[in-house]
Amino acid sequence: MRSKFFVLIVGLSTAPLFSQGIGPEHYDQLRYRHIGPVGNRVISVAGIPGDPSTYYAGAASGGIWKTTDAGLTWSPLFDDQTAHSIGALAVAKSDDQIVWAGTGETFIRSNVSIGDGIYKSTDGGKNWKRMGLEKTGRIGRIIIHPSNPDVVFVAALGHGYSDQEERGVYRTKDGGETWERVLFVDQKTGASDLVMDPSNPRILLAGMWQIEIKTWGRESGGPGSGIFVTRDGGDTWQRLQGKGLPRLPVGKIALCMTPRDPNRIYALIETGDGVPWHGKKTESGELWRSDDGGSTWRLQTHNRNLGGRSAYYSRCAVSTGDPDEVYFLAASYSVTLDGGRTSEVTRRADAPGWDHPDMWIDPGNADRMVVGHDGGVSISENRGRSWHKTQLPIAQMYHVTVDNRIPYNVLGNRQDGPSTRGPSNSRSGARIPRGMWHSVGGGESGFATPDPVDPDIIWSSASGAGARGGIVVRYDERTRQFRNVEVWPESTGGWPAEDLKYRFQWTFPLLISPHDNNTVYVTSQYVHRTTDGGQSWEILSPDLTTNDKSKQGISGGLTPDNIGVEYCCVIYAFDESPVWQGVLWAGSNDGLVHVSRDGGSNWDNVTANLPGLPPLGTVRNIDASKWDAAKAYLTVDFHQVGGFDPYVYKTEDFGRTWTKITEGIPPSPLSYTRHIREDPVRPGLLYLGTENALY
């Protein structure tokens, strides 16, 4: 599952300093330092043919990294740019100083980053220039002409949240100065993959994918999906139909070719042609193959391991030394040596990693390859018999908290890892060894929150519907042991939300009361409270959502994929006033805001009081004022229903009236407001985080 890029800013301030006037010039002097934990998701990779020392790695939300010593050390290249989600990388074969980067994640879940276009470097990544395509949202492939680096093709998926013109395949003939969209199916369909014939750059094949993502689920597949071919360098395209290909509709498509036999093409196609499950077909990982350049096709195999969770994974790479040798990138790492008729899953210890999005193989040396995965980046010089694995400092943290020790510890839930804790200062120099970070139970999503009275006690929420119903863990640092104290200890993974007793979303809130450290809240569609360390839970509210059953089905489209990420009609934001015990605020991911002034006995729906608020937004966060019990701030995010305007509100009368406070936030093509926080020292000073800026 996918996460976001978070920054923790810790500042010390005093009233006299503010009275002297602190402006941007002062904040510009602050410098970030990496404190941990170890990193994770690399979703795009590239190398240089014939150069075994140089590789590029693009992080899901940590920019671009480069090694010039075969992976022993890596340097960041992209920190100064506005987007840090790298969906595609490509190096020109004719000039290895020309590097292209497409931004935005194309491996789709609810917690993924949107990009802001395509970037180009002409000095091996030292400097970058954005070259347009700002509204394409997600770029998953870049193909550079083998002899003319000014000719570049781009596979643009689009942001995916609503109908959009900017989806499709783009081409530039002047190095990115101008672009033309050369393949467009419709506003619901973008490009999931793109390959060029290694022997003839005028021939390209594109996998087009009809995909829509909403708060309540994905719909993968439809009449727009299919394989398209051009034989004139992109001027005209033809949809491939029949001739052995599956009948429409299909979903996500992955393509791969090899210079050893340019007529050999492989296609992973999401069809949903599996066993019925909750009224939908299961994922099947179906592989097709053409031996005549795409004129005819035949089904090679049904194998879930080749494309499990088809709408999320689905990538393949053919060995540059053997057209029968193909690598399939999914949760597992599978290899076929007979052209796809049979395949074998590489055991975890011998695989490059886990959850593998991308792979590059040297066109002149099939033994040399690099793979990006959810554990980092891995390089092999012996055709995958062994791997040099690296974890880059790009950990994706869902939320960050700190305790009150001196020096303080930093806690968070890391994507693809457990809840974790580490020091802000090692007391042994600037470097903090990775061994000083350790698990505190929990899981990869949610919150890790230290007890304000006893910081050795840490509460974590994580991956609620992925396994059980509302996972909550209470950890004791003194013994380094934890116990599960979840609200509903029954398996809910994969079930429709409408069938669940409690709808715990992937990253549901957990809050320790600022008035009583023994009172802990978590939220499903209800507010739950424990006062006995999680031994028992009580429900404090009615359902505070729309409870729209039409938005509580199985997510996925052609193939189901429900692990709680796309659960709708849940309480997504929750806070208690630090000034007045029992003043509780709740916001849902279907656009409702409620407040209670009596500890949860009664709730007022104040949604209608927010001026100009469209329906179905996600209340991202609520921050109850530290100075006034009647005051609160909140952000509402509409990007998952196709809206990118900022919505930030303030109330000073318990929600009876609200003021929209967005003046000064500049318009941005694909940006939206995420989080607002009140300064802990200076009344009136607010911090606002958006998709690509901090205010």
Side-chain angles (χ1 to χ4, degrees):
M1 233 321 299
R2 307 313 58 66
S3 165
K4 303 306 298 177
F5 178 57
F6 288 91
V7 174
L8 171 65
I9 299 176
V10 180
L12 299 177
S13 59
T14 62
L17 282 176
F18 281 116
S19 65
Q20 297 170 15
I22 298 295
E25 68 277 8
H26 297 93
Y27 291 114
D28 287 343
Q29 297 177 42
L30 295 175
R31 295 293 178 265
Y32 294 102
R33 59 190 175 96
H34 181 257
I35 62 174
V38 296
N40 49 317
R41 296 186 61 237
V42 171
I43 64 171
S44 52
V45 292
I48 298 176
D51 181 354
S53 298
T54 305
Y55 299 92
Y56 296 87
S61 55
I64 300 172
W65 296 74
K66 180 180 182 180
T67 179
T68 56
D69 54 15
L72 296 178
T73 60
W74 294 80
S75 300
L77 303 179
F78 215 66
D79 287 357
D80 293 335
Q81 308 308 318
T82 54
H84 287 161
S85 175
I86 310 301
L89 291 169
V91 181
K93 294 179 182 179
S94 58
D95 183 348
D96 61 26
Q97 292 299 294
I98 297 177
V99 186
W100 287 84
T103 60
E105 291 184 70
T106 54
F107 300 92
I108 299 299
R109 291 309 304 243
S110 283
N111 301 299
V112 291
S113 294
I114 300 174
D116 66 354
I118 193 165
Y119 291 75
K120 178 183 179 181
S121 173
T122 57
D123 54 13
K126 295 177 184 177
N127 297 281
W128 296 88
K129 180 181 179 182
R130 188 164 60 181
M131 303 301 295
L133 305 183
E134 288 87 353
K135 294 184 179 182
T136 53
R138 311 178 191 281
I139 293 172
R141 284 294 193 196
I142 301 171
I143 305 293
I144 307 174
H145 192 284
S147 60
N148 183 357
D150 285 338
V151 177
V152 181
F153 294 85
V154 168
L157 185 62
H159 57 67
Y161 300 114
S162 61
D163 291 358
Q164 185 187 6
E165 283 287 337
E166 290 80 12
R167 303 188 188 201
V169 175
Y170 288 81
R171 178 182 66 188
T172 180
K173 295 182 177 180
D174 53 15
E177 295 299 323
T178 59
W179 294 89
E180 56 182 325
R181 190 182 62 190
V182 292
L183 175 58
F184 177 72
V185 177
D186 58 46
Q187 294 187 0
K188 300 181 183 297
T189 305
S192 59
D193 214 341
L194 186 66
V195 292
M196 177 182 282
D197 186 328
S199 64
N200 183 353
R202 293 177 60 79
I203 299 175
L204 295 94
L205 288 97
M208 302 302 288
W209 181 21
Q210 182 172 320
I211 175 68
E212 184 175 54
I213 316 156
K214 297 296 185 186
T215 313
W216 50 90
R218 289 177 298 169
E219 280 294 321
S220 176
S225 295
I227 300 175
F228 290 73
V229 64
T230 178
R231 303 186 186 280
D232 54 15
D235 290 337
T236 61
W237 295 78
Q238 176 188 4
R239 181 193 287 266
L240 300 182
Q241 300 184 71
K243 307 295 185 180
L245 286 171
R247 290 175 296 177
L248 298 177
V250 297
K252 189 174 184 180
I253 296 171
L255 300 167
C256 50
M257 306 176 70
T258 174
R260 281 292 174 138
D261 183 357
N263 287 318
R264 176 75 62 84
I265 307 166
Y266 295 90
L268 276 172
I269 304 176
E270 179 194 11
T271 65
D273 185 16
V275 179
W277 183 69
H278 289 296
K280 289 181 178 288
K281 296 295 186 71
T282 56
E283 52 212 318
S284 56
E286 291 168 302
L287 176 67
W288 270 262
R289 169 178 146 186
S290 174
D291 291 321
D292 53 14
S295 296
T296 61
W297 298 78
R298 66 180 181 273
L299 176 65
Q300 294 295 97
T301 184
H302 293 268
N303 188 333
R304 183 180 184 277
N305 291 317
L306 305 187
R309 297 172 66 193
S310 301
Y312 179 61
Y313 297 111
S314 298
R315 278 283 170 96
C316 60
V318 191
S319 171
T320 54
D322 183 352
D324 287 330
E325 183 179 331
V326 191
Y327 302 89
F328 301 97
L329 308 173
S332 58
Y333 178 79
S334 300
V335 183
T336 179
L337 300 178
D338 58 11
R341 287 185 291 273
T342 64
S343 62
E344 183 176 347
V345 175
T346 305
R347 69 188 187 105
R348 181 71 171 266
D350 298 326
W354 71 92
D355 291 2
H356 309 82
D358 200 18
M359 183 177 192
W360 179 87
I361 304 172
D362 190 332
N365 178 6
D367 288 342
R368 190 165 74 88
M369 52 185 63
V370 56
V371 175
H373 50 83
D374 278 13
V377 58
S378 297
I379 297 170
S380 178
E381 298 282 347
N382 55 16
R383 225 180 186 103
R385 289 191 296 273
S386 63
W387 298 90
H388 172 72
K389 303 178 181 180
T390 301
Q391 287 183 299
L392 301 173
I394 53 174
Q396 294 179 292
M397 307 302 292
Y398 277 82
H399 303 93
V400 176
T401 59
V402 297
D403 63 22
N404 55 13
R405 293 189 183 277
I406 300 176
Y408 59 88
N409 292 295
V410 181
L411 303 93
N413 296 60
R414 180 177 70 91
Q415 176 63 38
D416 299 303
S419 302
T420 186
R421 188 184 90 159
S424 61
N425 190 326
S426 67
R427 297 182 178 177
S428 60
R431 183 174 176 270
I432 298 175
R434 66 174 59 188
M436 297 189 75
W437 286 82
H438 65 272
S439 170
V440 292
E444 62 183 314
S445 60
F447 293 78
T449 306
D451 189 303
V453 176
D454 181 0
D456 283 333
I457 300 298
I458 300 164
W459 292 77
S460 291
S461 62
S463 308
R468 295 181 298 276
I471 292 179
V472 182
V473 168
R474 189 177 186 271
Y475 172 89
D476 192 328
E477 178 66 25
R478 289 173 288 258
T479 60
R480 293 211 170 183
Q481 292 182 331
F482 66 87
R483 61 188 176 95
N484 292 318
V485 293
E486 58 263 34
V487 174
W488 184 245
E490 297 290 335
S491 174
T492 59
W495 290 88
E498 63 178 342
D499 293 344
L500 302 180
K501 181 175 182 179
Y502 303 124
R503 299 187 293 272
F504 282 97
Q505 204 263 358
W506 179 260
T507 178
F508 65 89
L510 181 149
L511 177 72
I512 301 176
S513 172
H515 304 281
D516 175 16
N517 67 307
N518 292 313
T519 297
V520 180
Y521 304 94
V522 297
T523 65
S524 58
Q525 71 270 39
Y526 308 111
V527 177
H528 304 263
R529 178 177 67 187
T530 182
T531 57
D532 57 9
Q535 292 293 101
S536 63
W537 294 87
E538 60 181 321
I539 295 177
L540 290 186
S541 74
D543 188 330
L544 299 181
T545 75
T546 65
N547 193 24
D548 184 343
K549 297 300 182 183
S550 70
K551 296 178 172 58
Q552 296 176 31
I554 286 285
S555 176
L558 286 177
T559 50
D561 190 10
N562 250 35
I563 53 175
V565 183
E566 285 98 18
Y567 278 177
C568 183
C569 309
V570 302
I571 299 171
Y572 197 89
F574 182 80
D575 204 8
E576 181 178 16
S577 169
V579 180
W580 185 347
Q581 186 172 5
V583 175
L584 307 176
W585 298 87
S588 71
N589 70 348
D590 53 0
L592 301 188
V593 180
H594 287 81
V595 60
S596 173
R597 298 170 65 178
D598 54 12
S601 297
N602 296 280
W603 292 84
D604 294 324
N605 186 341
V606 298
T607 312
N609 302 334
L610 281 82
L613 183 69
L616 294 177
T618 295
V619 182
R620 273 280 176 175
N621 88 297
I622 301 175
D623 192 31
S625 174
K626 301 166 181 62
W627 318 103
D628 183 350
K631 182 184 291 186
Y633 304 88
L634 62 82
T635 58
V636 189
D637 160 24
F638 289 87
H639 84 275
Q640 289 181 319
V641 290
F644 298 93
D645 293 332
Y647 290 89
V648 188
Y649 292 91
K650 176 181 71 173
T651 182
E652 298 182 275
D653 55 10
F654 296 103
R656 285 191 292 270
T657 61
W658 295 83
T659 303
K660 192 175 182 182
I661 51 172
T662 56
E663 186 173 349
I665 302 175
S668 182
L670 297 178
S671 185
Y672 48 91
T673 48
R674 285 187 165 276
H675 225 72
I676 189 167
R677 279 285 183 252
E678 192 179 53
D679 188 86
V681 175
R682 181 183 178 187
L685 179 60
L686 304 175
Y687 302 94
L688 177 67
T690 71
E691 170 65 13
N692 57 14
L694 179 69
Y695 296 92

